[in-house]
Amino acid sequence: MATPLPAAHADDLVSTKEIVQLLRPTPHPASESKVRRWIKRYRITVVRRGLTNYVSFTDILEAQRDEAERLHDVS
């Protein structure tokens, strides 16, 4: 399960919109609503700056991996 990174990893923070763009060319792209579900399900720390939410891209990749494994186990 994804664990939040310490604040020292601030350079790892990306917005949910950026996450969608970064995952688009991968074999497992995700919509913004799916990314928000992962944030909630895996209790990923959200940093709010202005009107934009940022999360650790590493945490999102770990959540994506866990989701792929979970879906594979169900099949």
Side-chain angles (χ1 to χ4, degrees):
M1 183 179 269
T3 56
L5 291 176
H9 289 84
D11 60 336
D12 188 37
L13 297 178
V14 291
S15 72
T16 53
K17 291 183 187 303
E18 291 171 318
I19 291 167
V20 171
Q21 295 301 315
L22 290 166
L23 295 180
R24 183 169 281 146
T26 70
H28 302 287
S31 66
E32 195 167 351
S33 61
K34 184 179 285 188
V35 170
R36 285 193 299 268
R37 282 194 302 271
W38 292 346
I39 292 167
K40 186 175 182 176
R41 178 177 290 142
Y42 294 99
R43 297 183 181 123
I44 296 172
T45 300
V46 176
V47 176
R48 184 142 178 106
R49 293 185 183 153
L51 299 176
T52 306
N53 291 326
Y54 295 89
V55 296
S56 163
F57 189 57
T58 301
D59 286 349
I60 291 296
L61 291 175
E62 290 173 357
Q64 181 189 38
R65 177 203 60 211
D66 293 349
E67 285 295 300
E69 288 174 359
R70 186 179 68 81
L71 293 174
H72 182 265
D73 290 342
V74 171
S75 300

